[in-house]
Amino acid sequence: MIQAIVYTSQTGYTQRYAQLLAEKTGVPAYSAKEARGKLPSKAEIFYMGWLLAGTVRGIQSAMDRYTIRGAAIVGISPQGNGDLWTEARINGGYSDSGGRLFYLQGGYAPEKLGFFHRLMMKPMARSVIRQVEGKGDAATAQEREMAEVFRRGGDFVREEALEEIVQWFREGDHTGEVKTVPRVEI
């Protein structure tokens, strides 16, 4: 039985999703720091983490400490991609070890990032904007939307985005485990 939702959040999008999920499921949500003082080692959790350079922040520490039955990856893109994410979709949304994986679009708030993270994101933002501009009218609506997000920021946290996760919580049989660090590309 899942004892808690544990999350890491840099700009607040993952935290908002975790709090909304806690309200909908009745399972308490704790930041990774809070969880250390409240949950025993190997407690069964649902992990929520934000993406940085394709890596889900804090998940390795959470895997070392807890049993992760499912995880939500929060990123900028409208939908996740990358090898592990493709594999999870092929397997019906499950990792090879049976843990359930979800992707949620969070947002982008460069003004909330620390200096180092802002520095990391600038080249990626420039690259996305240049690629979309280079395509001109051939750019898809999704590509144009991403370019705008990198120009102006954006907030895509929506309560209805949690519906599939809430359903998974209600199903109750959470025996799989996330045992490998998800790597997702945006």
Side-chain angles (χ1 to χ4, degrees):
M1 183 174 110
I2 295 176
Q3 295 171 268
I5 299 160
V6 176
Y7 66 89
T8 58
S9 186
Q10 176 71 17
T11 55
Y13 302 112
T14 307
Q15 179 181 11
R16 285 177 37 216
Y17 272 130
Q19 290 168 342
L20 285 168
L21 186 59
E23 289 172 18
K24 292 185 158 297
T25 62
V27 175
Y30 304 114
S31 71
K33 186 176 182 178
E34 292 171 322
R36 277 187 228 110
K38 296 188 182 265
L39 298 174
S41 180
K42 300 303 173 198
E44 294 183 21
I45 67 162
F46 183 81
Y47 184 79
M48 300 180 83
W50 59 285
L51 282 176
L52 176 66
T55 302
V56 182
R57 302 299 292 176
I59 196 165
Q60 183 63 59
S61 296
M63 285 189 311
D64 292 345
R65 182 165 175 85
Y66 308 110
T67 302
I68 301 176
R69 296 298 181 198
I73 301 161
V74 180
I76 300 169
S77 173
Q79 58 186 9
N81 57 30
D83 294 340
L84 182 81
W85 191 247
T86 300
E87 174 186 294
R89 280 191 300 222
I90 290 169
N91 292 332
Y94 290 84
S95 68
D96 277 344
S97 51
R100 186 66 165 89
L101 299 174
F102 300 91
Y103 180 85
L104 297 166
Q105 185 180 20
Y108 182 57
E111 71 281 358
K112 292 183 180 179
L113 293 174
F115 175 76
F116 178 71
H117 292 139
R118 262 195 325 271
L119 198 61
M120 284 181 60
M121 291 300 290
K122 275 187 178 184
M124 185 171 72
R126 278 194 302 265
S127 174
V128 168
I129 292 167
R130 269 193 237 123
Q131 285 176 6
V132 171
E133 288 173 348
K135 289 182 178 184
D137 291 341
T140 66
Q142 182 177 332
E143 290 170 330
R144 285 191 293 276
E145 179 183 354
M146 283 304 297
E148 282 305 305
V149 167
F150 280 116
R151 278 188 189 102
R152 294 176 177 61
D155 181 346
F156 303 99
V157 174
R158 302 289 179 268
E159 189 174 331
E160 54 274 7
L162 294 169
E163 289 174 4
E164 187 178 4
I165 300 173
V166 171
Q167 182 61 40
W168 178 80
F169 265 80
R170 289 184 180 140
E171 289 170 1
D173 183 28
H174 307 116
T175 55
E177 186 174 349
V178 177
K179 292 184 178 182
T180 57
V181 177
R183 180 146 181 86
V184 182
E185 299 170 15
I186 57 169

